[in-house]
Amino acid sequence: YDAKRGGGGFALYDGARHAESGTALTLVEELRAGITGGQLVLHHQQQVDMRTGRVVGVEALVRWQHPRLGLLQPARFLDLAEAHGLMDALTDEVLGQAVRQLARWRATVPDLRMSVNLSPSNLLDTVLPDRLAVLLAEVGVPAEALTLEVTETVLLRDPERSRAVVAALSAHGVEISIDDFGTGYCSLAYLRDLSVSELKLDRSFTADLLRDPRTEAIVASVVELAHRLDVRVIAEGVEDEVTLARLAELGCDQTQGYLHGRPVPADELRLDLTPAP
Ligand code: C2E
Ligand code: MG
Ligand code: MG
Ligand code: MG
């Protein structure tokens, strides 16, 4: 090798390129190891029944306790997991933790339900329904106590295959919720054809409800449509009492949001919220 040949410049460029892709690769590799190494933790947020004011469900929301970067929110790593084929492992880990936690809580709150989010690739995983059935049987939690939240966009990827996975999940008795309802490509055919148990009204509707009559018209109509299909409606992102009261008037069945509590680790979650006097 002739050092004066100009190869140094090439080596420098090459090194920089590797360093750059190396950083991204490191985070993926760290995530891969973190998923199996117990670094994923679940935070939980209450879902409150409108009529009784009681906590009837809990949504599990994943976080990554990164050894150097601290507690990472899902926005920091879900896309990475999805892009690098780690979502099956991530979801298995989340479902395992969620179902076990649900079993612990149900020992004192027998009817409590748990909601877990699924990602687009989960609905292409045709073996997920059977793995989940095995988990539920192992832990001793009835499938009916579990709600899986899918977004409208998730169903668009490969509609036929996703429908089959959703059908298999509901055949096992697990409930299906359409998350962030109203923001995606919302096809009424899904509501007709899939066995959906819940619509989760997107936070943007909740946030605009009081100041925008058109939002209110949409919420009122969605609630009526859902109820005619025997589907319950939960509003997400409820942050104040006035919005809660309006949602009650509009017939919304459940609410979730900072008003009741922020997502917290299981041992900090209050399941005994009492309605305001
Ligand atoms: P999502 O399922 O729609 O969850 C609601 C998000 O809104 C959560 O953010 C929650 O912390 C936040 N939130 C709850 N109440 C309020 C409120 O009153 N006001 C406001 N401003 N925000 C509120 P988070 O935990 O950062 O999760 C973001 C998204 O990441 C979730 O949206 C869900 O799509 C996804 N995600 C979370 N955990 C998992 C998981 O285990 N698996 C998969 N595949 N996705 C997950
Ligand atoms: Mg959700
Ligand atoms: Mg949502
Ligand atoms: Mg949302």
Side-chain angles (χ1 to χ4, degrees), residues 59 117 149 179 200:
E59 181 175 8
N117 295 281
E149 299 190 357
D179 203 351
K200 197 163 191 183

Side-chain angles (χ1 to χ4, degrees), residues 35-55:
I35 291 170
T36 47
Q39 291 174 10
L40 294 187
V41 293
L42 298 186
H43 282 189
H44 301 86
Q45 188 180 34
Q46 301 95 337
Q47 300 179 327
V48 175
D49 182 84
M50 192 65 95
R51 278 183 200 80
T52 64
R54 289 183 196 287
V55 178

Side-chain angles (χ1 to χ4, degrees), residues 129-204:
D130 287 337
R131 287 205 308 281
L132 182 56
V134 168
L135 171 71
L136 289 164
E138 209 176 271
V139 180
V141 165
E144 291 72 24
L146 188 67
T147 302
L148 297 177
E149 299 190 357
V150 304
T151 58
E152 296 153 331
T153 352
V154 157
L155 295 163
L156 279 179
R157 261 276 194 93
D158 179 343
E160 214 166 303
R161 191 147 142 211
S162 330
R163 273 161 198 261
V165 173
V166 168
L169 288 167
S170 32
H172 282 306
V174 172
E175 293 199 346
I176 302 295
S177 172
I178 309 289
D179 203 351
D180 304 336
F181 185 78
T183 56
Y185 174 84
C186 111
S187 166
L188 296 176
Y190 292 142
L191 290 184
R192 188 191 56 197
D193 301 340
L194 296 174
S195 42
V196 170
S197 303
E198 177 184 277
L199 289 188
K200 197 163 191 183
L201 205 58
D202 188 66
R203 190 163 75 225
S204 57

Side-chain angles (χ1 to χ4, degrees), residues 206-258:
T206 309
D208 292 345
L209 186 61
L210 296 177
R211 55 184 137 100
D212 178 24
R214 299 171 73 85
T215 296
E216 185 178 297
I218 291 171
V219 172
S221 306
V222 165
V223 170
E224 167 158 15
L225 172 68
H227 286 173
R228 289 188 66 167
L229 295 169
D230 204 19
V231 168
R232 69 175 176 269
V233 178
I234 178 167
E236 66 177 12
V238 179
E239 297 183 354
D240 61 89
E241 294 283 357
V242 188
T243 302
L244 180 72
R246 196 72 199 100
L247 286 164
E249 285 166 6
L250 293 172
C252 188
D253 304 291
Q254 294 178 17
T255 53
Q256 184 179 343
Y258 294 167

Side-chain angles (χ1 to χ4, degrees), residues 6-14:
F10 176 75
L12 192 69
Y13 166 73
D14 201 43

Side-chain angles (χ1 to χ4, degrees), residues 11-135:
L12 192 69
Y13 166 73
D14 201 43
R17 205 186 49 166
H18 272 110
E20 191 179 274
S21 60
T23 310
L25 199 68
T26 302
L27 198 62
V28 178
E29 291 317 317
E30 284 178 336
L31 181 56
R32 193 188 304 277
I35 291 170
T36 47
Q39 291 174 10
L40 294 187
V41 293
L42 298 186
H43 282 189
H44 301 86
Q45 188 180 34
Q46 301 95 337
Q47 300 179 327
V48 175
D49 182 84
M50 192 65 95
R51 278 183 200 80
T52 64
R54 289 183 196 287
V55 178
V56 288
V58 169
E59 181 175 8
L61 295 156
V62 71
R63 277 92 181 90
W64 178 14
Q65 187 65 62
H66 189 282
R68 281 175 295 109
L69 303 174
L71 192 69
L72 301 183
Q73 301 297 307
R76 286 282 301 275
F77 60 89
L78 281 183
D79 287 350
L80 204 62
E82 185 76 14
H84 289 85
L86 301 181
M87 205 44 102
D88 288 3
L90 184 145
T91 300
D92 281 355
E93 176 62 25
V94 167
L95 281 169
Q97 288 190 34
V99 167
R100 288 186 170 84
Q101 182 57 53
L102 179 60
R104 284 193 284 276
W105 275 326
R106 281 170 66 95
T108 46
V109 188
D111 294 332
L112 192 73
R113 316 181 41 80
M114 176 82 82
S115 295
V116 174
N117 295 281
L118 294 186
S119 81
S121 58
N122 291 142
L123 285 198
L124 303 179
D125 177 1
T126 50
V127 203
L128 176 66
D130 287 337
R131 287 205 308 281
L132 182 56
V134 168
L135 171 71

